[in-house]
Amino acid sequence: STNFAPTTTAEIGYYDLRFMVTDTDDGTSNWSTYDDVLFVASNPPELTSYSLLNNDIYRTGTSVILVGVYDIEDSNSSMSLVAEHRSLSGNWSSSYFHPAWFNHTSELWSANFTPTIMAELGAYDIRVKVVDLDGGSSDWSTHPDDVTVRNNGPQFADYTFTGTEGTSNLSHAELHRSDTMSILVNSSDIEDTEADHAVSVEHRSYSGDWSTAYLSNATYSQEHQSWLFQFTPLPVSELGFYDIRINVSDSDGDSTGWQEFNDVITVLNNIPVLVNHSINSSVLRANTIILELNASDIEDSEASLEVIVNYRSPAGDWADEHLYNPYYNHEIEAWQIVFAPMESTELGSYDFKV
């Protein structure tokens, strides 16, 4: 018998054998040849270790696998690593793995796993194998639920108040009851466009609760590249400071949570306006004339207003002793004030103020 021991560099494939017999007198037989009787195969490479750096990442984040390999025939660095991943509802793929490289310092193979912004969320299985120079490979080494891919949450950027005249102010805004101003909200997200977000805004008066009563539905303004809300307090709205809060949600259901901004809006009272007035240009002492006037107010009816009238003689100060209390005449829909100078009243031109 004899041993057949091919070296690590021996050619792969079938080998022929031939035999010849020599006797003690040095006589020899002819060669007997046997074709393809032995097959020399490559020694399969082996995986010796596996580890993962960062097993909980967000989309576009990176995990790194570290794999140890061995082959009796080839150097570790001359082989190649194959890595694949599989999501909960997907098939095995290598699309999120970058090309593997050999780290000569650690003597390990490495590959980066970087899911895209559209990657399925949840746990991923990882499997690896090593391939030698002869095309031989190890078995797959499978690691279930090895890395978790999470959604990148949206980010609230800022808000801006814009008045009807187009002026903008980031920190504070004032408006009167029944006026309208715009609230522009900006957000960002690694995965979604701003227009794909869902933005919510609420307001709160000094004595009230969070509400959307004075806000329009959200619309995305292509002109401003922002989410747009119209804020319009009612004629009966509470006066004073208002808080706002803002929440941004993305298409995967994650949100920023409420971001609160206190005392950023001041709601003011609308000042009543004198519309018109009429009075006779002259009156005799001890006689009367009637001053008629109309006023308007966005919030209150004309009849509910309080009217105050004073007069001033040529040499006097403002006074009201010759005026009767103003009253609202519903028949003519106007305020009327009686002016009744006495017999001793100073003569001349009088001023009136309302």
Side-chain angles (χ1 to χ4, degrees):
S1 64
T2 185
N3 292 330
F4 177 79
T7 67
T8 59
T9 59
E11 182 179 349
I12 303 298
Y14 284 100
Y15 279 67
D16 305 330
L17 295 180
R18 68 179 183 175
F19 300 94
M20 180 178 67
V21 179
T22 302
D23 63 17
T24 57
D25 299 314
D26 293 329
T28 61
S29 67
N30 294 325
W31 285 103
S32 296
T33 302
Y34 302 90
D35 296 333
D36 298 340
V37 294
L38 288 174
F39 185 82
V40 174
S42 172
N43 286 283
E46 301 175 8
L47 296 171
T48 60
S49 65
Y50 172 88
S51 61
L52 176 75
L53 300 180
N54 196 6
N55 65 353
D56 195 321
I57 61 174
Y58 292 92
R59 286 168 170 161
T60 72
T62 296
S63 291
V64 182
I65 60 171
L66 305 173
V67 182
V69 300
Y70 172 74
D71 190 277
I72 193 173
E73 302 164 6
D74 303 318
S75 66
N76 292 351
S77 61
S78 67
M79 293 184 283
S80 57
L81 182 72
V82 180
E84 294 183 346
H85 57 82
R86 180 176 62 185
S87 65
L88 181 64
S89 65
N91 298 317
W92 288 110
S93 170
S94 61
S95 59
Y96 297 159
F97 273 107
H98 296 265
W101 75 93
F102 188 76
N103 187 322
H104 290 275
T105 302
S106 65
E107 292 291 315
L108 297 174
W109 279 90
S110 300
N112 288 343
F113 173 75
T114 307
T116 67
I117 61 173
M118 300 300 293
E120 181 178 349
L121 301 176
Y124 279 68
D125 305 330
I126 302 293
R127 68 177 184 179
V128 294
K129 69 178 180 179
V130 61
V131 180
D132 65 17
L133 294 178
D134 298 308
S137 67
S138 67
D139 293 332
W140 285 107
S141 176
T142 302
H143 305 270
D145 298 340
D146 202 34
V147 60
T148 298
V149 175
R150 300 187 183 278
N151 174 56
N152 286 282
Q155 301 293 317
F156 167 75
D158 56 48
Y159 70 91
T160 303
F161 296 126
T162 302
T164 54
E165 68 281 2
T167 57
S168 298
N169 190 310
L170 177 63
S171 60
H172 189 266
E174 293 184 350
L175 78 165
H176 293 89
R177 287 168 169 166
S178 299
D179 284 349
T180 297
M181 72 174 185
S182 299
I183 304 175
L184 300 173
V185 178
N186 294 304
S187 59
S188 63
D189 196 314
I190 292 176
E191 301 163 11
D192 300 320
T193 65
E194 185 178 38
D196 290 330
H197 286 161
V199 179
S200 302
V201 176
E202 295 183 350
H203 59 80
R204 179 178 63 185
S205 65
Y206 180 76
S207 65
D209 296 320
W210 290 110
S211 171
T212 60
Y214 304 157
L215 290 161
S216 66
N217 292 330
T219 58
Y220 189 75
S221 169
Q222 294 293 341
E223 175 187 357
H224 297 94
Q225 292 293 291
S226 303
W227 280 94
L228 174 65
F229 297 80
Q230 302 290 349
F231 178 75
T232 308
L234 299 176
V236 294
S237 298
E238 182 177 348
L239 300 175
F241 288 121
Y242 279 67
D243 310 327
I244 64 169
R245 65 178 182 178
I246 300 170
N247 181 60
V248 180
S249 301
D250 66 13
S251 58
D252 294 301
D254 280 348
S255 69
T256 60
W258 289 107
Q259 312 289 310
E260 294 189 16
F261 305 92
N262 296 325
D263 298 342
V264 293
I265 299 174
T266 301
V267 174
L268 305 171
N269 177 54
N270 286 281
I271 299 174
V273 177
L274 178 65
V275 176
N276 55 56
H277 68 279
S278 63
I279 190 173
N280 290 334
S281 60
S282 64
V283 62
L284 298 173
R285 286 172 170 166
N287 282 280
T288 62
I289 57 172
I290 296 177
L291 168 64
E292 293 182 357
L293 62 88
N294 288 104
S296 68
D297 189 89
I298 293 176
E299 303 158 11
D300 303 314
S301 67
E302 185 179 24
S304 67
L305 299 177
E306 179 184 4
V307 175
I308 301 173
V309 179
N310 281 184
Y311 65 84
R312 182 174 60 188
S313 65
D317 293 323
W318 291 107
D320 62 0
E321 61 183 285
H322 300 325
L323 293 169
Y324 290 88
N325 289 334
Y327 64 95
Y328 187 76
N329 188 327
H330 289 275
E331 292 185 6
I332 63 172
E333 295 185 340
W335 282 91
Q336 292 185 322
I337 305 96
V338 176
F339 178 61
M342 301 175 64
E343 292 89 343
S344 59
T345 299
E346 181 183 357
L347 300 175
S349 297
Y350 281 60
D351 304 321
F352 285 82
K353 67 176 183 182
V354 178

